[in-house]
Amino acid sequence: MINQEYDVIVVGGGHAGAEAAAAAANLGAKTLLITMNLQTIGQMSCNPAMGGIAKGQIVREIDALGGLSGIISDKTAIQFRMLNRSKGPAMWSPRVQSDRWRFAEEWRLALEAIPNLDFFQDMVVDLEVSGDKIVAVHTGMGVRVRAKKVVLTNGTFLNGLIHIGEKNYGGGRAGERAATGITERLVKLGFESGRMKTGTPPRVDGRSLDYSKMEEQKGDDKPEKFSFSKETRALDKQRSCYITYTSEDVHEALREGFDRSPMFNGSIESLGPRYCPSIEDKINRFADKDRHQIFVEPEGWNTVEIYVNGFSTSLPQEVQEKALRMVKGFENVKIFRPGYAIEYDYFPPTQLKHSLETKLVDGLYFAGQINGTTGYEEAASQGLMAGINAARAVKEEDALVLSRDSAYIGVLIDDLITKGTEEPYRMFTSRAEYRILLRQDNADERLTPVGHDIGLVSDERMKEFHVKQSKTEALSSFIGDLSVRQEEINPVLEEKGLSPIKQTMKFDKILSRPQLSFSDFTGVEALKSFIFDNDIKDENIEQVEIALKYAGYITKEKENASKIDRLEHLSIPKNFDYTKLKSLSYEAREKLIKQQPATIKEAKGISGVSPADISVLLVYMGR
């Protein structure tokens, strides 16, 4: 190892590092993964779950491109839920509860199965740059390893500082030391750095909880899965989560410790994630709320350890325990480990190209929390893209850059590169101009051909994709040609309270009504026969139905995005009163007031101001 030159070295074994190493090695680059602890590759540092609002779409996109997060999530899931089913399909977001131990184990096994990937356990403490090009990394044990490309995925470890009450100590995660040296080298090279904060809740003994006092939250009756491949299957059994709530008594117990909270006594000055605040931050910012929801999440199939989602805190341990014991069902709780906050170094991502290569040093890539993002999914997607582009650069191929209308990953990276971020960035559907196009169900349609073209998606999987596409197209064509009679359709329409048809009609015209779905017409013999004879799957039916019902909305969405681009030059009056625009998001209003952009274009460039916020501004300017 010491005497050879690697094509790609990946530093860090978290979600970003694992995806980066897998992608680079699977694309033929001789790759080395260096991490401080080989036993924690792919570890879930915070919540034992993958997916969620917009994050689930990202996992599906990673899978469609040939990444591994979707497959690992399926293999280690203990519960599956499709969130937001009551809303439109652009909002549907898959999420799994994961077995934390099995998740890390599957990542380790998957990476070890890649012949082109080597491993080394040590801390990278320095980067060697010749001119403006990366040439090697140096480790804490004095080992120098040469590399053509280096991907940094250091997570929360760069000069990490853990806070619990008035105590603080260096660390990148509970029980693990911080990484030193890299920040100092990068600053010397001319990079700008900053500090961010995140936090995690206590883990508790599930045997000490009274679940009878909580609301049970089961998985879906018909669970789906993340990966589009045949390598995984949906769950046939699931573990339940539970919901309980804080109260005024809980809040009062927490307030008693505020004078010793690093959040309020000045120990922590950096910004934490706006949309995943600590419990002390929530009761301080939302003083009018007398309770907050707590999700009680098992950490695996067989462990008794419980993750207390919604109770992230850095208060003193005795305060945490006193307040938790006032939560319904937690009266006799035993804490395995307390919650804590962690501060760490990041590098504003405006210093990167869209390939995630740094502008200052050729061959050096950043991915994950080093870029100011928060969340496993956001990190994994960046790792995937950095790994792909590092490997392609070794072969002198053009970088792969996903557009904003082709993937949430494209939105994420473009936001980071063009807008930057001063607080941990989290993906939301509202950040995308084309969210009806960027659905979780069609991620394979958008990105599997891309993954195949670059060499990450196998020929076999591409054949599976073509089979699925041909069935979807055949069904779409069939219902466009199928004429149905009044006697077949009117009983359904009357049952739904809809006006009956008076003559034979094309089936697609009837199905386009928002109140109707395929499942309402199981009695139409021609349709039933076609679905059976052609082995049409539920996924084909869902895609056809969504495309049919939302064709008009998709056209409108494209027109609206085009309109925003055309009107970038519009001026915004000086000292404009944004408080009167109630439809603006709270974050957008706060940042627009602070930065006072002169034009719509400047407003678009502010991190946290979404396309929906820009539309609100344009409507007002139009008036």
Side-chain angles (χ1 to χ4, degrees):
M1 184 187 73
I2 296 172
N3 296 322
Q4 67 175 298
E5 181 183 48
Y6 281 90
D7 292 326
V8 178
I9 290 179
V10 176
V11 181
H15 296 260
E19 285 288 4
N26 282 325
L27 288 176
K30 183 62 179 173
T31 305
L32 173 66
L33 174 61
I34 304 181
T35 183
M36 293 197 298
N37 186 353
L38 289 173
Q39 306 309 313
T40 56
I41 287 175
Q43 181 163 311
M44 296 177 132
S45 304
C46 202
N47 61 319
M50 288 290 284
I53 307 302
K55 293 168 175 282
Q57 283 86 329
I58 289 176
V59 177
R60 283 258 163 103
E61 290 177 353
I62 291 170
D63 181 74
L65 284 167
L68 298 179
S69 288
I71 289 171
I72 304 292
S73 297
D74 286 344
K75 287 183 175 181
T76 60
I78 63 174
Q79 186 194 86
F80 181 96
R81 293 180 67 222
M82 185 67 76
L83 307 183
N84 281 341
R85 273 286 192 187
S86 61
K87 300 180 181 179
M91 299 292 287
W92 297 352
S93 301
R95 182 182 188 272
V96 296
Q97 285 295 133
S98 302
D99 187 314
R100 183 191 300 276
W101 296 348
R102 291 278 301 111
F103 188 90
E105 179 186 31
E106 281 295 336
W107 255 121
R108 175 73 178 264
L109 295 174
L111 292 173
E112 288 184 356
I114 303 173
N116 227 23
L117 179 58
D118 291 343
F119 303 86
F120 188 59
Q121 179 171 294
D122 201 354
M123 181 197 297
V124 172
V125 296
D126 201 2
L127 305 172
E128 186 178 333
V129 176
S130 177
D132 61 355
K133 184 179 180 182
I134 192 79
V135 294
V137 301
H138 295 252
T139 75
M141 292 194 294
V143 178
R144 175 182 181 265
V145 192
R146 292 178 295 139
K148 296 175 183 175
K149 311 293 173 186
V150 172
V151 183
L152 296 183
T153 69
N154 302 85
T156 61
F157 281 76
L158 291 180
N159 292 321
L161 185 65
I162 291 174
H163 297 266
I164 304 177
E166 295 169 299
K167 304 172 186 175
N168 60 65
Y169 58 93
R173 186 164 50 207
E176 298 182 60
R177 59 179 175 161
T180 57
I182 290 179
T183 293
E184 293 73 18
R185 168 58 64 192
L186 291 173
V187 170
K188 284 182 181 177
L189 289 169
F191 286 90
E192 176 193 349
S193 71
R195 295 283 277 177
M196 280 188 178
K197 165 205 152 314
T198 190
T200 193
R203 271 60 159 196
V204 304
D205 187 338
R207 296 169 300 182
S208 66
L209 304 182
D210 185 350
Y211 296 103
S212 68
K213 296 181 179 179
M214 308 178 198
E215 302 170 20
E216 186 176 10
Q217 186 180 53
K218 295 182 178 181
D220 288 349
D221 291 336
K222 294 182 178 179
E224 299 178 34
K225 62 190 187 80
F226 268 120
S227 182
F228 294 100
S229 74
K230 291 182 178 179
E231 189 173 338
T232 64
R233 61 186 180 85
L235 290 168
D236 53 18
K237 63 174 183 174
Q238 303 184 69
R239 277 201 71 174
S240 291
C241 296
Y242 292 83
I243 297 173
T244 186
Y245 298 87
T246 62
S247 64
E248 276 296 346
D249 288 340
V250 175
H251 299 175
E252 190 53 43
L254 291 167
R255 289 189 189 99
E256 289 175 7
F258 275 12
D259 61 330
R260 291 183 288 156
S261 166
M263 290 283 297
F264 301 119
N265 66 15
S267 299
I268 295 177
E269 296 180 358
S270 49
L271 292 174
R274 177 185 294 265
Y275 297 102
C276 190
S278 64
I279 187 65
E280 53 262 44
D281 197 21
K282 280 193 279 192
I283 64 175
N284 188 52
R285 282 167 52 192
F286 308 109
D288 57 317
K289 291 188 176 292
D290 57 11
R291 70 175 192 170
H292 294 283
Q293 203 167 39
I294 301 293
F295 294 92
V296 181
E297 301 178 345
E299 299 244 346
W301 283 115
N302 301 312
T303 181
V304 298
E305 189 170 356
I306 296 293
Y307 180 88
V308 190
N309 195 340
F311 207 88
S312 176
T313 180
S314 57
L315 286 164
Q317 182 172 342
E318 62 272 20
V319 176
Q320 295 184 32
E321 185 166 350
K322 179 180 178 181
L324 268 180
R325 285 179 178 273
M326 295 178 177
V327 175
K328 278 190 178 180
F330 280 70
E331 293 83 359
N332 299 303
V333 68
K334 295 179 182 179
I335 293 180
F336 276 178
R337 54 189 168 112
Y340 61 87
I342 180 167
E343 287 187 288
Y344 55 94
D345 294 336
Y346 86 104
F347 291 81
T350 50
Q351 301 171 100
L352 303 177
K353 304 172 186 176
H354 276 81
S355 62
L356 297 181
E357 184 181 27
T358 66
K359 295 174 182 176
L360 284 176
V361 178
D362 287 349
L364 180 63
Y365 297 76
F366 292 173
Q369 284 175 290
I370 192 172
N371 290 335
T373 59
T374 182
Y376 306 146
E377 303 82 4
E378 290 90 341
S381 67
Q382 292 170 71
L384 174 68
M385 299 306 295
I388 288 170
N389 286 327
R392 288 179 66 82
V394 169
K395 297 186 245 181
E396 298 184 349
E397 296 173 343
D398 291 339
L400 174 64
V401 176
L402 301 176
S403 63
R404 295 183 70 93
D405 62 351
S406 68
Y408 272 101
I409 298 173
V411 174
L412 167 67
I413 293 174
D414 188 60
D415 274 356
L416 293 174
I417 304 312
T418 59
K419 297 183 175 184
T421 186
E422 295 178 350
E423 60 187 56
Y425 177 104
R426 179 181 178 180
M427 178 53 72
F428 289 101
T429 55
S430 60
R431 295 191 191 274
E433 300 91 324
Y434 306 97
R435 61 181 178 176
I436 299 179
L437 293 177
L438 307 183
R439 305 185 310 274
Q440 54 82 30
D441 66 279
N442 70 353
D444 60 337
E445 183 180 321
R446 292 182 277 116
L447 297 174
T448 298
V450 176
H452 184 256
D453 286 346
I454 65 172
L456 268 188
V457 171
S458 67
D459 291 341
E460 181 183 354
R461 183 160 169 185
M462 195 62 186
K463 287 178 184 176
E464 293 173 12
F465 169 73
H466 283 312
V467 169
K468 176 185 172 182
Q469 286 299 97
S470 65
K471 289 182 179 181
T472 300
E473 290 165 6
L475 178 60
S476 180
S477 177
F478 177 77
I479 66 168
D481 293 335
L482 176 64
S483 295
V484 288
R485 303 183 306 276
Q486 297 97 305
E487 57 267 27
E488 293 179 293
I489 299 301
N490 283 344
V492 174
L493 300 182
E494 289 166 2
E495 185 180 337
K496 297 275 185 180
L498 302 173
S499 300
I501 60 174
K502 298 180 180 178
Q503 59 187 21
T504 299
M505 288 185 68
K506 294 294 185 184
F507 184 65
D508 60 348
K509 299 297 182 188
I510 293 169
L511 194 59
S512 64
R513 299 189 191 187
Q515 306 92 334
L516 301 173
S517 66
F518 264 94
S519 58
D520 295 320
F521 298 100
T522 53
V524 177
E525 286 301 327
L527 180 63
K528 187 162 63 174
S529 297
F530 181 86
I531 289 173
F532 179 80
D533 293 343
N534 293 276
D535 192 27
I536 302 296
K537 308 293 186 186
D538 288 345
E539 60 189 5
N540 306 120
I541 292 172
E542 182 178 79
Q543 283 203 294
V544 169
E545 191 166 349
I546 290 172
L548 182 65
K549 291 183 184 296
Y550 288 88
Y553 293 103
I554 291 170
T555 300
K556 186 176 180 181
E557 189 172 70
K558 289 179 177 178
E559 289 173 351
N560 191 49
S562 177
K563 178 183 177 183
I564 290 174
D565 290 339
R566 288 198 313 272
L567 298 177
E568 282 187 337
H569 64 279
L570 276 183
S571 296
I572 299 174
K574 194 173 182 180
N575 298 320
F576 180 76
D577 183 10
Y578 293 99
T579 60
K580 62 187 176 184
L581 299 185
K582 303 303 181 186
S583 296
L584 286 175
S585 67
Y586 178 84
E587 181 181 0
R589 189 179 303 118
E590 179 184 277
K591 291 184 174 180
L592 288 166
I593 290 171
K594 179 182 177 182
Q595 300 193 31
Q596 291 294 315
T599 64
I600 292 294
K601 184 175 183 179
E602 288 183 20
K604 279 177 64 180
I606 299 172
S607 180
V609 177
S610 72
D613 295 317
I614 296 297
S615 293
V616 171
L617 280 177
L618 286 176
V619 168
Y620 185 85
M621 298 303 168
R623 287 174 183 167

